[in-house]
Amino acid sequence: MNISIVRPDDLGDPEISRWRELQRADPALDNPFLSVEFALAMGRLRDYVRVAVVEDDGEIMGFFPYERHGFGIGKPLGGFLTTCHGLISAPGLRLNPRDLLRACKLTVFDFDHMVADQPAFAPYQTDVRPVPVMDLGDGFDAYVERVRANSAKNYKTVRYKERKLDREQGGLRFEWDSADSGALRQLMRWKSDQYRRTGRVDRFAQPWIVRLLDEMHAERSAGFAGVLTMVYAGDTPVAGHFGLRTADTLVGWFPAYDVEFARYSPGIVHHLLMAEHAAGAGLRRVDMGKGGREYKSWLKSGDLFVAEGRVSRPSPTAAVHWMGRTPVNKARTIVTDRPELYRLADRVLKGFGRMRTSVQSQSASTVVKEPWGAG
């Protein structure tokens, strides 16, 4: 078995075709973050992106996209931005992950959204987590029946708010797969505001992430595309989402809404409308991502599973990395497993966000700032 390391843009047409073939052959790999298009885009924007090409007897058996950071620290492709990673390979490929790390010149590789039970990484899994999905395989009506059986009260409340929004704000309109770049910018502004309000790091303060979404929004093929969806009240946008899809699966990525319309729960209204239109477009499921909000627990009609774990080769760097990362990962797991702790942590972060916003507002009176998105 031979492992060669290349940059994504070094992949030729035969390699790209083989990647797609391997991904289509395994339903567990049906996720756009595992698609070659995403790896190619990341390679154009980040110079630390690499792909390990695994060959056996002259035949390509797998691809392993990753990021190589300082001191040989390996991270999944896209890192904190993505909700799925793994080895795109022929089913059952047996590969020693430490040999893989050696070929990649990595001392350690941490993962938290790995496709569960991949043979190469399964021995290093420390936890397996459910990923809530909206299963549309039997159509939208069948999905709704399952949701109503799970939580009739929540479903009834959201549909009531949807009708109220339609009645009071000038008529409700949903746009599926919008090509409007202005609508995408509006979504980013809402999301940036949400990050600041809730004490999170603003992803869109990094220009390369904005460029990544622009590139993904421009992708249009049967097997991979960026999908922008928006809910309008009259001509006013009130909620939206930008995600990626394969031929069968839409993955949640950046949902957001206008807080001026919060009383209508526009985000959840949007999710139900998005599922309806996804089913109409022939998609079979919406992957809502691991962890997070309570609304996922009643919107879901099934689960996928992703794994957390760590592979390393003996080295001082790996030891230092373990001491720095393991306590943080354990603390995160404890918080996300206990709803009362999750809500408390969320309140603390929101309090910090309000304090930071207040300080920034006071500074704005003396500092002239460029418009959002400039530079």
Side-chain angles (χ1 to χ4, degrees), residues 23-24 30 32 35 37 220-225 245-249:
Q23 187 181 16
R24 287 194 299 266
D30 183 25
S35 297
E37 290 85 356
R220 287 288 185 273
S221 72
F224 181 91
R245 68 154 178 84
T246 63
D248 292 320
T249 298

Side-chain angles (χ1 to χ4, degrees), residues 125-316:
Q125 294 177 183
T126 57
D127 204 358
V128 175
R129 297 274 160 177
V131 175
V133 299
M134 306 165 88
D135 185 349
L136 307 173
D138 295 325
F140 181 72
D141 290 342
Y143 160 74
V144 165
E145 287 305 310
R146 290 194 290 271
V147 170
R148 293 175 68 177
N150 289 339
S151 187
K153 182 178 179 181
N154 282 325
Y155 180 79
K156 183 178 180 180
T157 298
V158 171
R159 287 308 195 191
Y160 166 77
K161 290 185 176 182
E162 178 185 342
R163 293 191 296 272
K164 186 177 175 67
L165 175 61
D166 178 70
R167 184 174 63 252
E168 295 181 352
Q169 299 296 331
L172 197 64
R173 175 169 60 90
F174 183 86
E175 189 166 351
W176 167 262
D177 199 14
S178 170
D180 185 354
S181 60
L184 181 60
R185 285 295 183 276
Q186 177 63 73
L187 180 71
M188 292 183 193
R189 285 192 289 270
W190 287 337
K191 199 67 181 177
S192 288
D193 180 61
Q194 178 190 339
Y195 288 138
R196 291 191 293 268
R197 287 195 327 268
T198 56
R200 272 77 170 182
V201 175
D202 181 5
R203 305 287 193 255
F204 301 118
Q206 300 186 55
W208 77 266
I209 296 180
V210 175
R211 287 183 57 196
L212 175 64
L213 263 68
D214 284 340
E215 290 200 18
M216 296 294 90
H217 189 212
E219 285 280 353
R220 287 288 185 273
S221 72
F224 181 91
V227 179
L228 175 63
T229 52
M230 296 291 286
V231 172
Y232 293 85
D235 294 325
T236 303
V238 298
H241 172 266
F242 183 75
L244 303 179
R245 68 154 178 84
T246 63
D248 292 320
T249 298
L250 173 66
V251 171
W253 203 7
F254 292 105
Y257 62 89
D258 187 339
V259 294
E260 294 296 322
F261 296 88
R263 64 188 180 278
Y264 299 105
S265 299
I268 303 179
V269 168
H270 167 275
H271 259 61
L272 283 171
L273 292 171
M274 180 175 69
E276 182 177 4
H277 284 76
L283 296 175
R284 299 182 62 83
R285 70 183 175 205
V286 176
D287 177 333
M288 293 188 285
K290 181 183 75 170
R293 303 296 178 177
E294 292 180 6
Y295 72 84
K296 294 181 183 179
S297 65
W298 68 266
L299 279 178
K300 76 172 188 176
S301 56
D303 288 299
L304 299 175
F305 294 91
V306 294
E308 302 173 4
R310 180 179 184 273
V311 185
S312 66
R313 295 190 295 129
S315 72

Side-chain angles (χ1 to χ4, degrees), residues 73-74 108-110 310 316-326:
I73 302 299
V108 62
F109 182 77
D110 252 340
R310 180 179 184 273
T317 298
V320 171
H321 183 268
W322 182 88
M323 289 187 290
R325 291 290 298 165
T326 299

